[in-house]
Amino acid sequence: MRELPKALQTEGTSPQVDKSIALSRLLPPPDRSRARVLFWLKGQVPETRIRHILRVEQFAIELAQRHHLDREKAAQAALMHDLAKFFKPKRLLSMAIAEGLEIDPIEEMNPHLLHADAGAIVARDEFGVTDSEVLNAIRHHTLGSPEMSLLGCVVYLADGLEPGRGATPELEELRDLSRQDLIQATWRVADASLRHLIQAGHLIHPRTVQTRNAFLQRFKQTVVKDPIAKIQLVKGIQT
């Protein structure tokens, strides 16, 4: 999970989003694998984190449904996105090394950034997930990726925009945008994250910048063919 700008965050949840993603209406039928993941999570993360995970799962299902993507894959990736959220830094580093991942200086200084990669490893080794799209969606939910699939965008956006993040006008605008255009919403959320990191004086991982630029470029490619998209692009850059 990445932190959005504090200006976008408020206490509480968004009633509009809560209403639109009623769990009973959107969740796939119960299955043992989901129950097993939840049971495992209860021994690994606090209750507040489980509530966040469930909200991400709900919003991911809604976005997948709206964009005609695989709801079950979206639900699975969202449910597992924070499997390694509370792993200790040494454990995250050792898992990354054992997996043969290249650890850059920023990740070495802030191993918590590796929790997404570690979560994908746990999903594969502990829960037998073999679907590469699901594993990549878990892997990319924090920093994003220039090559992120639409399913990856769904989990990335659901994590950053789930209703527990607050109900500011900008957050509500980004939620509405995510329901309409995954590509534009992805660069806008990455852009907001970058602004926060700069204002807070934090280190910025290159992949966050690459994600923002890649999806902005993909969106710009649609502007030539769509005058409405051009207006949205100008509006997004000015905010």
Side-chain angles (χ1 to χ4, degrees):
M1 180 191 72
R2 68 207 161 279
E3 186 178 7
L4 286 176
K6 294 185 184 300
L8 299 185
Q9 301 180 31
T10 61
E11 294 295 328
T13 63
S14 164
Q16 179 182 351
V17 176
D18 280 338
K19 183 178 180 181
S20 68
I21 55 174
L23 182 61
S24 61
R25 179 165 55 86
L26 292 175
L27 282 178
D31 59 52
R32 291 183 178 180
S33 61
R34 182 174 184 273
R36 180 167 173 252
V37 173
L38 285 172
F39 181 80
W40 187 92
L41 282 168
K42 288 179 180 179
Q44 299 288 330
V45 305
E47 182 62 31
T48 53
R49 178 56 45 174
I50 291 178
R51 289 198 293 269
H52 159 75
I53 289 169
L54 292 177
R55 290 192 299 266
V56 173
E57 180 188 39
Q58 292 174 47
F59 198 24
I61 292 169
E62 184 201 352
L63 291 178
Q65 184 168 278
R66 284 178 177 269
H67 295 286
H68 308 290
L69 300 172
D70 192 311
R71 292 168 63 244
E72 291 188 7
K73 285 187 179 184
Q76 185 179 45
L79 185 68
M80 296 186 179
H81 82 279
D82 269 349
L83 289 173
K85 178 69 176 180
F86 287 87
F87 284 9
K88 300 294 185 183
K90 287 185 178 179
R91 184 177 183 184
L92 292 171
L93 287 167
S94 65
M95 288 178 68
I97 292 171
E99 189 71 10
L101 300 179
E102 184 176 343
I103 303 172
D104 62 42
I106 295 178
E107 290 167 333
E108 191 172 357
M109 292 179 64
N110 185 9
H112 177 72
L113 292 174
L114 294 168
H115 84 272
D117 289 293
I121 295 170
V122 175
R124 182 194 67 199
D125 295 349
E126 180 71 23
F127 298 104
V129 178
T130 58
D131 189 298
S132 61
E133 191 175 21
V134 172
L135 293 173
N136 282 332
I138 297 170
R139 187 174 292 117
H140 297 150
H141 82 268
T142 299
L143 300 174
S145 169
E147 294 82 30
M148 197 156 52
S149 70
L150 291 180
L151 181 70
C153 291
V154 161
V155 178
Y156 177 83
L157 293 170
D159 180 42
L161 300 176
E162 58 94 348
R165 300 293 192 189
T168 64
E170 187 170 0
L171 273 170
E172 293 293 2
E173 179 191 357
L174 289 172
R175 288 181 184 121
D176 288 341
L177 183 60
S178 71
R179 297 182 179 102
Q180 301 166 27
D181 187 335
L182 291 175
I183 301 300
Q184 184 181 180
T186 296
W187 85 256
R188 288 280 303 278
V189 168
D191 195 71
S193 296
L194 285 169
R195 282 188 273 114
H196 164 69
L197 292 169
I198 291 170
Q199 291 169 2
H202 293 319
L203 293 173
I204 296 176
H205 196 284
R207 188 143 47 97
T208 304
V209 180
Q210 293 163 2
T211 299
R212 183 261 187 193
N213 289 345
F215 280 86
L216 174 57
Q217 185 174 17
R218 286 173 64 177
F219 178 67
K220 281 185 173 182
Q221 291 171 354
T222 69
V223 170
V224 177
K225 302 178 181 179
D226 187 351
I228 295 178
K230 184 174 183 179
I231 295 173
Q232 292 174 330
L233 174 62
V234 173
K235 181 180 178 182
I237 291 175
Q238 290 177 343
T239 55

